[in-house]
Amino acid sequence: MVSKVNGIVIKETDVGETGKRIMIITREHGKMLLSVRGAKNAKSKTMAGTQLFSYSEFSLFEGKGFYSATQADVIESFYGIRSDIDRLAYGAYILELTERTAFEDLEDIGMFELLLRTLLVLSKDSMDSINPQMIAAVFIIRLLKESGFIGELYGCQKCGNEFLNEAYLSNDGFELICCDCAKGNETYVGSGTLKAVNYIIGCRMPAIYKFNVSDEVLKQLWIFADSLRREYLGDGYKTLDYIRNMKFSY
Ligand SMILES: [Zn+2]
């Protein structure tokens, strides 16, 4: 049976000389593993559309227990991501996070729309007011919301009191607590960061990257997103190790 599906390539693995297996994420079916024969032949109908980051329309052949892509027409290549090592590094991390978090055979419109919007922003020509680390931090926080791990954070997660101006990130790394509950050695989270986190969690998806923060807030946002990532999504991300090893690492 032949069918069509639109998806974004989030992982690729070589198979033999010219073939590969790709993982795509779709609105309707979550993650799907596809085998692609001859994807690395220059004349192949699948070469461009099955590259990492590509958003394509795939023609699928359903075999016994597997799908293969017989054609892949590029809808959006996100070329701009590949033109800059910083964007590429954070983009690869965003794909790995998606791959580890998404499920197979499960409609997930929220996660798909988040990834699509994120890659669009990351590939834009003008990157004056936004940076790839910021995009990754926003992506992680919203990904945790779309996956049901976190909701808006208006009060202390220990005593329930509303945050006035500031909060602290608990030492186990994933609770936001008030100054009364903090013992003094926790990570400070200022009001700007609190506001940004609640904006990221609560805003409509199309507006998610439409805000700016100071360098100080960005630093806190990254620490916050990274602690939550470790707590809910685990460790062992090759792409994150790569970012940490880059010479301009933060
Ligand atoms: Zn408290």
Side-chain angles (χ1 to χ4, degrees), residues 108-111 114 141-150 200-201 203 205:
D108 198 337
I109 295 169
M111 196 181 296
L114 172 62
I141 293 167
R142 184 69 180 222
L143 180 69
L144 291 169
K145 190 256 181 167
E146 295 300 329
S147 311
F149 289 114
I150 58 171
I200 295 162
I201 293 172
C203 73
M205 195 70 87

Side-chain angles (χ1 to χ4, degrees), residues 174-193:
F174 65 101
E175 270 187 330
L176 268 189
I177 56 179
C178 70
C179 54
D180 291 337
C181 292
K183 294 186 182 78
N185 55 352
E186 292 87 352
T187 308
Y188 177 75
V189 177
S191 62
T193 308

